[in-house]
Amino acid sequence: MKGLRGHPKQMSRSTLLRYTSKIVLVGGAYYVAAILGLRLALIERNVTPLWPPTGIAVVAFIIFGWRVWPGVALAAFAVNMPISTNGLAAAATATGNTLAPIVAALLLVRVGFRKEIDRLQDALAIVFLGALLSMLISASVGAGTLVLSGAIPASKFPAAWAVWWTGDAMGVLVVAPFLLGLFQRPWSGSLRERTEAGVLLLLVATVSVLVMNTDLRLMFLVIPFLGWTAWRFQQRGAAPAALLAAGIASWAAAHGLGPFQQGTLLEKMITLQAFNATVAFSSLFFAALVTERTRAREALERAAAELEDRVGRRTADLSTANARLKHEIAERHDADRKLRQREGQLAEVQQQAQVGNWEWVIPEDRVSWSDEMYRIHGHLPKAFPLTFEKAVEQVEEEDAARIRANVQAALGRGRDHDLPPSEYRIVRADGAERVLLGKARLSVGSDGQPLRMIGTVKDITESKKAEREHRIAETLQRSLLPDRLPEIPGVMLAARYLPATSDIEVGGDWYDVVQLPNGTVGLAIGDVAGHGLRAASTMGQLRMALRAYALEEESPSQVVSRVRHLVRLLVPDIVTMIYLTFDPESGTLRFANAGHPPPLLVGWKGETSYLEGGLGPPLGATTHLGQDIEVAAHVDAGSTLLLFTDGLVERRGTSIRDGLTRLKTLAADRGEDLEALCDHLLGSMVTSQVSDDIALLALRQVPLAAEPLLLRLPAEPHVLAPLRHTVRRWLREIDADPRVADDVLIACGEACANAIQHAYGAKDGLFEVNLVLSDGTVEVTIRDLGSWRPSSGSGRAERRGGLGQRLMRELMDSVDVNSGPGGTVVRMRRSLQVGADRERTRAR
């Protein structure tokens, strides 16, 4: 209804689209209803006793606002144009048909009409203002236009006016209530009520048809059924019932049936109007009256229920207040007893937590300590009275001076505030030194003068000791782990160590990588049960022992057996451990497992599997009389091997198998970068709270032949064996003939041995080995940065050096030796061709 009071404004595109849609909808409904209504025309082709479009127009103006008038006007003009004498007559008729509904809607809005028609004043308004009064406009304009256009003679004006007024008024009285009922919320009646409503409407229709097909004046028989329908279902039943009765009566009047067989057209219209008005008026009035009475009864019932509820609540409140008063009286008698009991509990809690409290009344310089404060300082409770200075005398002099300065600064601020926490030391009468943590708050008066200070003191001696032990264990643990992983050609290594959260002691997780004399790589990872300094020190012992055994024993099972024997004799702890040896040249992996989670092998295509063989009991768990099992596996180039401790896959409340499955899924997407893979696994597997240390060690074999081989090695004899394995693997990957590979290996080994023996003497140093394949020729460069020691004069040494160079020249196509202050460079070349081809190459 707000639209009837508004004015057109500038519209956006979406608003214009909605506005146009409403005009089309209203115009279409008006036009279709008009075509149907013209079938009841009594005068010419455009005067009918029931004109539904008027009711549609009134409802449209009430629902959508008066701005949809173009839809009504255009539809009215389109309907009247074919049945009017000319366009001007059609336009005049359309104007009357548009103006009358607008006036009806405006009048209804002005009197506060409700679409539900659930009040008596709403029924009176739609009958007298919306139908009988407003439709005088359309009847007068329409009938006058018919006379002026020559469609009917002036003598038929009264009859035409009566029929027109009757049709428009009935359109409002009968059609508008029915349409307004459709805009109400859906009816939620039961199946029985719906059946009853259908039967009543059928009775109204049947009685209406019967009385309209007899000459007897029995139209009054319809009224009781209309009243019954209105009484049972109010406007939901009254509106369709009235529409049925009025529609049947209008059809009978248009066809001259029953009561409408005799009399003039004016008399028939008066009879029809009287009947339809009675039908509409009685239905609407009775329905509105029943609705008002029902609403009044419901309101009265609600008021009675609310009053009864209010009385009940007041009575309950009084009863509750009375009970509460009795309860409070009983509580007051019990308050002193509980207060004394709580004071005793507080003292017990303070004693358990080693926390005491104190108060300093500053104007009186009176200090009071709780019993626990006396105990913390090594005195019996209430042993002596206290002042501020007496209390501070208990503190070490260095800390006492700081406390006095802090208190003096706090007193000078002149406002309430908390003093910063302060750690200080005391020495008790028995000589024990304790570390205390004090907290205090100052309260001042309205004039800014300090009144009192209260605080607590906690004995943190044990926690400080535990913290110190934690730091020592953590430092020891990190110092015993490898500071860096060895650089092994053709083997990528990455490791991660993640300690548990700071509130948990350090654990015994560890890992190690060892380059073995035979050119293989030893890898180990383990976990010592427990936490703290003992676990960290045990881990260090085992790591050193394993390194020593790995250098002596080639078999992983023998290494694990010797570590097991050491644990059984010297280390009273439970240890899980796995030790592996990996041959980069052949890709062979051998390992033995002592109760540790199995390694995860990720193939270069992303396939994953756990190496679950070689499993024995944890070290120190039971007496293991048999030999530890050793298992072999093969690692293809590009594959990744993951070793980890149980902290990575084990979570409280879930099975370790779930963690192993999740790790297997995450590792399948291994990526190209090994460091990124380790970070990804830790970031995905580890939650914000880590309850156990985590160690992760990853190995990936990569081809050597893709790039030149560059090695930077310490000038020590033990590097020669791994060097030979690496060079042999590089030569094999470039498809060098075995005879050529042997020659290059011997020549390279001889040059490296010379650099180790002669370049640095007793000093430490490095030398470089660089192998490059270019146009079918292998170029080997050995470079050192030392100064070769002069010959001792023995002919044997000279002959040996000369033999070495002659051997290299015999095996290689060319050998160039350049020595200077910056070191010595030996550059050798050898073609990959063999036999006669090589001889021709050397000859050239």
Side-chain angles (χ1 to χ4, degrees):
M1 292 186 180
K2 294 179 180 179
L4 291 171
R5 304 187 183 97
H7 299 281
K9 297 181 179 179
Q10 187 176 1
M11 299 181 181
S12 64
R13 180 176 298 178
S14 59
T15 305
L16 181 61
L17 180 61
R18 291 194 298 269
Y19 175 63
T20 304
S21 301
K22 293 177 182 178
I23 289 177
V24 173
L25 176 64
V26 172
Y30 189 98
Y31 183 82
V32 172
I35 296 301
L36 296 176
L38 288 175
R39 296 185 178 183
L40 303 177
L42 296 178
I43 299 177
E44 294 301 327
R45 292 181 297 167
N46 50 5
V47 182
T48 169
L50 179 60
W51 188 243
T54 304
I56 293 175
V58 172
V59 172
F61 291 141
I62 292 175
I63 299 299
F64 300 128
W66 64 270
R67 285 181 291 178
V68 297
W69 68 267
V72 175
L74 292 175
F77 180 79
V79 170
N80 285 283
M81 186 62 191
I83 60 177
S84 300
T85 56
N86 52 58
L88 182 60
T93 304
T95 301
N97 289 344
T98 304
L99 186 58
I102 290 178
V103 172
L106 290 173
L107 292 175
L108 291 175
V109 171
R110 182 63 59 86
V111 299
F113 175 75
R114 288 165 53 94
K115 297 189 297 293
E116 293 80 6
I117 317 179
D118 53 356
R119 300 176 301 178
L120 190 59
Q121 67 186 65
D122 298 330
L124 290 172
I126 196 172
V127 170
F128 291 101
L129 297 180
L132 301 182
L133 179 60
S134 300
M135 295 307 112
L136 295 174
I137 299 174
S138 57
S140 300
V141 174
T145 301
L146 290 177
V147 174
L148 294 177
S149 63
I152 60 172
S155 59
K156 288 188 176 182
F157 174 79
W161 183 91
V163 175
W164 201 301
W165 180 63
T166 301
D168 286 356
M170 289 304 102
V172 176
L173 288 177
V174 176
V175 177
F178 176 75
L179 294 178
L180 289 174
L182 297 179
F183 284 94
Q184 300 179 26
R185 64 176 183 270
W187 187 27
S188 58
S190 62
L191 178 62
R192 179 178 175 279
E193 292 175 335
R194 295 174 184 271
T195 304
E196 182 183 356
V199 170
L200 286 176
L201 292 177
L202 181 62
L203 284 175
V204 170
T206 302
V207 173
S208 298
V209 170
L210 291 176
V211 299
M212 295 304 168
N213 285 278
T214 178
D215 297 338
L216 301 175
R217 301 284 182 172
L218 299 176
M219 291 187 291
F220 64 88
L221 294 177
V222 179
I223 304 303
F225 293 97
L226 293 174
W228 187 5
T229 306
W231 173 66
R232 288 291 297 137
F233 302 104
Q234 290 80 57
Q235 292 297 342
R236 293 186 183 277
L243 179 62
L244 284 173
I248 293 172
S250 299
W251 180 82
H255 293 81
L257 300 177
F260 304 101
Q261 292 180 1
Q262 306 297 327
T264 64
L265 181 59
L266 180 60
E267 292 174 347
K268 293 178 181 179
M269 289 302 99
I270 292 175
T271 302
L272 178 62
Q273 183 74 333
F275 176 76
N276 286 345
T278 303
V279 167
F281 188 81
S282 60
S283 299
L284 295 177
F285 272 54
F286 193 53
L289 183 61
V290 172
T291 301
E292 282 190 341
R293 296 291 295 274
T294 301
R295 187 182 295 112
R297 187 186 71 252
E298 292 175 351
L300 184 61
E301 290 175 352
R302 285 196 300 271
E306 290 177 359
L307 180 60
E308 183 178 356
D309 184 60
R310 189 178 299 113
V311 171
R313 287 200 304 269
R314 291 291 179 86
T315 304
D317 290 343
L318 290 175
S319 300
T320 303
N322 188 30
R324 188 183 299 115
L325 182 60
K326 293 180 180 179
H327 183 67
E328 288 179 356
I329 293 174
E331 283 185 341
R332 288 184 179 180
H333 290 293
D334 195 43
D336 291 338
R337 181 184 60 82
K338 287 185 177 180
L339 182 59
R340 290 190 296 269
Q341 181 181 359
R342 288 175 182 173
E343 288 178 349
Q345 292 174 348
L346 178 60
E348 293 178 3
V349 170
Q350 288 186 348
Q351 185 173 3
Q352 291 293 328
Q354 291 186 308
V355 176
N357 64 285
W358 53 268
E359 180 183 17
W360 178 27
V361 181
I362 300 173
E364 303 174 9
D365 192 18
R366 176 169 50 84
V367 177
S368 58
W369 278 3
S370 66
D371 291 348
E372 187 60 24
M373 280 288 292
Y374 283 97
R375 295 191 190 97
I376 290 174
H377 287 77
H379 305 292
L380 294 175
K382 307 296 186 297
F384 48 84
L386 286 164
T387 61
F388 175 75
E389 284 300 327
K390 181 68 175 177
V392 176
E393 286 177 2
Q394 311 290 316
V395 183
E396 286 287 291
E397 184 57 35
E398 180 181 349
D399 293 332
R402 175 169 49 84
I403 292 175
R404 290 189 183 96
N406 291 340
V407 171
Q408 191 63 31
L411 296 177
R413 292 181 182 177
R415 58 182 175 83
D416 294 349
H417 68 281
D418 293 325
L419 278 69
S422 176
E423 287 187 13
Y424 59 93
R425 292 170 297 118
I426 65 171
V427 178
R428 301 198 304 198
D430 57 1
E433 182 177 314
R434 312 298 291 178
V435 181
L436 309 181
L437 174 64
K439 298 180 180 180
R441 177 171 180 78
L442 175 66
S443 299
V444 302
S446 58
D447 56 354
Q449 294 299 316
L451 294 181
R452 68 177 188 135
M453 188 179 291
I454 60 173
T456 60
V457 170
K458 179 176 177 59
D459 188 344
I460 59 172
T461 305
E462 299 302 325
S463 62
K464 295 294 287 186
K465 180 180 178 182
E467 181 182 345
R468 184 166 56 253
E469 181 181 338
H470 177 86
R471 287 198 305 271
I472 295 172
E474 186 176 20
T475 303
L476 176 61
Q477 183 182 44
R478 290 197 175 275
S479 65
L480 293 175
L481 291 174
D483 55 349
R484 63 181 181 86
L485 298 176
E487 296 181 5
I488 304 174
V491 177
M492 295 175 59
L493 293 169
R496 295 291 186 274
Y497 177 76
L498 185 64
T501 50
S502 58
D503 57 336
I504 306 240
E505 293 180 318
V506 295
D509 292 20
W510 58 281
Y511 63 89
D512 203 357
V513 179
V514 185
Q515 286 185 277
L516 301 176
N518 60 2
T520 60
V521 182
L523 299 96
I525 194 166
D527 186 3
V528 179
H531 296 84
L533 188 59
R534 173 174 171 175
S537 61
T538 300
M539 176 268 288
Q541 297 176 53
L542 293 179
R543 178 170 175 259
M544 293 300 102
L546 183 135
R547 271 182 167 257
Y549 297 151
L551 293 174
E552 294 178 0
E553 303 285 353
E554 291 188 2
S555 170
S557 61
Q558 290 293 334
V559 173
V560 172
S561 295
R562 294 186 67 175
V563 176
R564 185 184 299 277
H565 182 68
L566 174 68
V567 171
R568 184 168 64 250
L569 294 179
L570 301 178
V571 182
D573 288 305
I574 305 299
V575 181
T576 65
M577 185 190 75
I578 185 168
Y579 173 66
L580 309 91
T581 60
F582 173 65
D583 186 356
E585 185 175 354
S586 63
T588 301
L589 179 74
R590 297 187 300 155
F591 64 94
N593 190 343
H596 199 78
L600 177 61
L601 182 61
V602 184
W604 65 275
K605 292 184 179 179
E607 66 276 13
T608 57
S609 62
Y610 283 105
L611 304 180
E612 297 181 343
L615 183 63
L619 309 181
T622 59
T623 302
H624 186 53
L625 300 178
Q627 181 69 23
D628 283 281
I629 305 171
E630 182 176 310
V631 177
H634 185 74
V635 179
D636 295 326
S639 299
T640 302
L641 182 69
L642 295 174
L643 288 78
F644 52 90
T645 56
D646 57 1
L648 183 66
V649 295
E650 193 171 27
R651 295 293 177 271
R652 185 175 301 172
T654 61
S655 171
I656 192 174
R657 291 187 177 274
D658 297 337
L660 291 171
T661 302
R662 186 159 182 259
L663 176 62
K664 191 176 181 181
T665 303
L666 292 171
D669 185 16
R670 63 184 188 88
E672 294 297 329
D673 185 52
L674 198 60
E675 299 287 345
L677 174 63
C678 293
D679 292 336
H680 171 65
L681 294 178
L682 285 179
S684 302
M685 294 290 296
V686 180
T687 59
S688 57
Q689 292 295 326
V690 183
S691 59
D692 194 5
D693 294 355
I694 297 173
L696 175 63
L697 180 61
L699 176 145
R700 180 180 295 170
Q701 184 181 18
V702 294
L704 288 176
E707 296 179 356
L709 179 63
L710 176 61
L711 304 175
R712 186 175 288 106
L713 305 170
E716 298 176 5
H718 69 83
V719 303
L720 291 175
L723 172 62
R724 284 193 294 271
H725 284 276
T726 302
V727 174
R728 182 183 289 111
R729 179 184 168 195
W730 186 85
L731 292 170
R732 187 178 66 250
E733 290 185 8
I734 66 172
D735 296 326
D737 185 88
R739 290 171 291 175
V740 174
D742 291 340
D743 292 347
V744 173
L745 275 172
I746 294 172
C748 181
E750 185 68 24
C752 292
N754 287 339
I756 295 173
Q757 181 179 3
H758 300 294
Y760 298 103
K763 297 185 298 182
D764 293 334
L766 298 174
F767 70 96
E768 291 183 356
V769 180
N770 189 13
L771 282 81
V772 179
L773 176 64
S774 177
D775 296 329
T777 299
V778 176
E779 180 176 311
V780 182
T781 303
I782 293 89
R783 178 182 287 106
D784 64 69
L785 302 178
S787 298
W788 282 46
R789 291 176 294 170
S791 174
S792 62
S794 67
R796 181 181 301 173
E798 292 178 355
R799 287 193 301 273
R800 183 176 181 182
L803 289 175
Q805 288 193 15
R806 284 199 299 271
L807 178 62
M808 289 187 287
R809 295 182 187 280
E810 184 68 27
L811 297 173
M812 306 296 285
D813 294 338
S814 66
V815 177
D816 297 324
V817 181
N818 296 315
S819 296
T824 300
V825 178
V826 179
R827 184 173 287 107
M828 302 178 291
R829 295 178 180 86
R830 172 65 188 269
S831 172
L832 295 182
Q833 299 174 353
V834 295
D837 292 339
R838 182 190 170 219
E839 292 299 331
R840 285 193 294 271
T841 301
R842 294 188 65 180
R844 289 197 296 270

